[in-house]
Amino acid sequence: MNNTTVLIIGAGPVGLTLACEMVRRNIPCRIIERSAAPQIGSRAKALQPRSLEIFDNLGIADKLMQQGYTELPYRKYNGPEMIGESPRKHFLRNDTRFPKVLLLPQYQVEAALRDKFEELGGKIEWGTELADFNQTDNGIVCQLQTPNWTEDVNCTYLVACDGGKSTTRKKLGIAFIGETHQEEQLWVGDVEVEGLKPDAWYNWLSAEYGLAFALFPFKNSNNWQLQAAMPADAQGKIPTPTLEGFNQLFKERTQIQNVSFTNSTWQSIYRVNVRRTEKYRVGNAFICGDACHVHSIAGGMGMNTGIQDAYNLGWKLAAVINGNAKDELLDTYAEERIPIADWLLKAASERQKAMIAAATAGKGAFETLATNDGTQLDLNYRDSSLGINNPHPQTELRAGDRAPNVQLANGSWISEQLQGAGWDLLLFGDADIPAAGSLNVIKVKDNAIVDAYKISSGVVLIRPDGHIALIADEVTAVAAYFDKLVGYKGIE
Ligand SMILES: Cc1cc2nc3c(=O)[nH]c(=O)nc-3n(C[C@H](O)[C@H](O)[C@H](O)COP(=O)(O)OP(=O)(O)OC[C@H]3O[C@@H](n4cnc5c(N)ncnc54)[C@H](O)[C@@H]3O)c2cc1C
């Protein structure tokens, strides 16, 4: 039987992020994808600042920044009449290189991740489905199915990144708790648009439908995403979307005759589900992304949260596989990410309600969704057992917080000095460490860092996912941290 260490199910944005995390740490892994080729639908069209930081660490953020918009205004209509336009809302801050949401289709995000994965030596196995699996004492025996053959593979860890309809989740017997909102359904699709300038997000508001129609252009592309609220019948059904249907509905709801759609590459129905799995781990099988949480698309956070799940799990799997940490480290994946999913489900539902209320009242739509917490930069793991959360007298930063990025006097960013995939230690004042093992040690000399961290002496230990593990006065606390909390052999 063939063997691998990590088998990743699904080459969506979440599986691909995890695959990059594995391969760049030299962890043997395979990633299988049921579809024969990449997905074509635009689906997620917002990369949030925290995801951009993660992609910066993977080396793909600058390329993606070239491919998307950050400034498209919100243009509102009531039928044929334009009733207003507001600029894109930003939550500018100086502790990140990426304060603005990047607007681009999900297929471009996936393409950048695939390119990175392949550059790192990985290979996606297309047309390959996880048909069945069984956990044994010696690993997980998986049956892979392609159109032409079946293959048995023994893996040490299996990670289900197989989307909202995850069959792996079902096979693991994990309940997906929550609700389906039959009344909240949309037609979604991709079209080329004749008759409109691609310089805004267009929203048609209506008392009857809320969001009667919406169109979103993409940069350097003729493709636009389309969304329209569709009332369901008594059985909870809505008609199947088609290009003809898109054209007809647009004319009916907007009374605009000189705009038309052609070349639709994707048509789909989106139904709001608000659900999360009761757990994220069964034995050596884990679950990530839409497979463990689904919610309204309002606020654009589903793909982003999944990417951040994978980023949390990736370094932990690598540390345990490399013998640098105890298996218990893997339990902190669920401990840290389930509270984030709970916040996400609540926040997305609240945003959905607020948007529909504003649209129904003719006040606006997508601009109501832009909120500071949507940047995901302030999500933290303060309550995690992986942090030593002693309040520090000098700073408001705490263990579990995202380590702030800082621009230095010479214009570079501290993120450029941090390790791509390992632990970093910032030494402030006279703090010193005799033997640092694989830790990347930065002796802080630039006042900009002191000002940003508000620490003049002591140490800050930063985890491989960019969150603070420890803030302490004495460097001895670092070895104690590794001994007690991770069993990590990062320093000798
Ligand atoms: C209209 C729309 C707009 C959206 N807007 C946003 C947004 O602005 N921001 C945002 O963050 N999110 C948004 N989302 C949500 C986003 O698309 C999802 O959260 C994201 O796709 C989840 O990624 P994933 O990798 O978890 O799952 P998926 O993208 O669903 O990928 C799962 C993959 O697993 C494969 N697979 C399934 N079963 C198997 C199997 N047994 N074996 C092998 N492969 C398998 C599937 O073929 C698929 O390719 C939007 C979604 C829609 C529909």
Side-chain angles (χ1 to χ4, degrees), residues 47 60 394:
L47 263 180
I60 58 174
Q394 292 176 332

Side-chain angles (χ1 to χ4, degrees), residues 124-141:
I124 298 162
E125 297 176 49
W126 299 103
T128 308
E129 183 173 4
L130 178 68
D132 203 0
F133 63 93
N134 281 301
Q135 301 214 43
T136 71
D137 290 343
N138 300 319
I140 307 177
V141 180

Side-chain angles (χ1 to χ4, degrees), residues 207-263:
E208 188 178 358
Y209 302 107
L211 189 65
F213 222 94
L215 288 165
F216 314 91
F218 295 119
K219 190 174 173 182
N220 298 331
S221 163
N222 292 328
N223 196 30
W224 298 52
Q225 187 178 100
L226 168 161
Q227 292 182 8
M230 294 296 284
D233 67 17
Q235 282 74 44
K237 294 248 175 339
I238 67 171
T240 304
T242 59
L243 175 60
E244 294 69 35
F246 289 156
N247 272 301
Q248 192 185 334
L249 191 75
F250 182 81
K251 288 191 170 52
E252 275 171 25
R253 289 196 180 172
T254 70
Q255 304 300 313
I256 296 175
Q257 301 304 322
N258 59 351
V259 169
S260 61
F261 309 135
T262 57
N263 292 331

Side-chain angles (χ1 to χ4, degrees), residues 94-96 394-398 401-408 413-414 426 428 444 446-456 460 468 471:
N94 57 13
D95 69 345
T96 178
Q394 292 176 332
T395 180
E396 286 176 3
L397 285 172
R398 294 283 175 270
D401 289 352
R402 161 191 157 271
N405 202 356
V406 184
Q407 189 163 30
L408 310 182
W413 289 81
I414 191 175
L426 305 184
F428 291 84
V444 172
D446 198 305
N447 280 337
I449 306 177
V450 176
D451 290 347
Y453 277 75
K454 298 195 178 56
I455 295 175
S456 54
V460 175
I468 295 173
I471 304 175

Side-chain angles (χ1 to χ4, degrees), residues 454-486:
K454 298 195 178 56
I455 295 175
S456 54
S457 73
V459 299
V460 175
L461 179 66
I462 302 176
R463 306 175 357 172
D465 60 2
H467 282 260
I468 295 173
L470 171 78
I471 304 175
D473 293 330
E474 299 295 333
V475 84
T476 47
V478 177
Y481 172 85
F482 281 129
D483 276 354
K484 180 161 174 268
L485 289 173
V486 198

Side-chain angles (χ1 to χ4, degrees), residues 333-411:
Y333 164 60
E335 185 196 332
E336 295 187 335
R337 295 305 297 173
I338 283 182
I340 304 277
D342 286 343
W343 163 80
L344 170 73
L345 265 53
K346 188 164 169 286
S349 294
E350 285 169 2
R351 255 153 247 197
Q352 169 82 4
K353 269 198 203 118
M355 180 180 83
I356 299 301
T360 312
K363 290 188 179 149
F366 287 88
E367 62 271 52
T368 62
L369 300 178
T371 55
N372 191 21
D373 57 359
T375 65
Q376 302 188 313
L377 289 168
D378 297 317
L379 293 178
N380 65 67
Y381 307 134
R382 283 188 175 193
D383 294 330
S384 166
S385 60
L386 265 189
I388 295 188
N389 211 348
N390 296 331
H392 190 280
Q394 292 176 332
T395 180
E396 286 176 3
L397 285 172
R398 294 283 175 270
D401 289 352
R402 161 191 157 271
N405 202 356
V406 184
Q407 189 163 30
L408 310 182
N410 65 7

Side-chain angles (χ1 to χ4, degrees), residues 265-310:
T265 47
W266 175 60
Q267 310 90 34
S268 187
I269 289 174
Y270 175 76
R271 186 178 295 119
V272 176
N273 273 285
V274 183
R275 292 175 189 275
R276 148 164 99 66
T277 52
E278 50 172 344
K279 47 188 162 184
Y280 279 18
R281 174 181 191 179
V282 177
N284 277 355
F286 295 84
I287 185 158
C288 256
D290 272 21
C292 53
H293 44 70
V294 291
H295 52 84
S296 157
I297 53 178
M301 291 187 288
M303 173 183 75
N304 286 276
T305 305
I307 288 166
Q308 293 159 40
D309 289 342

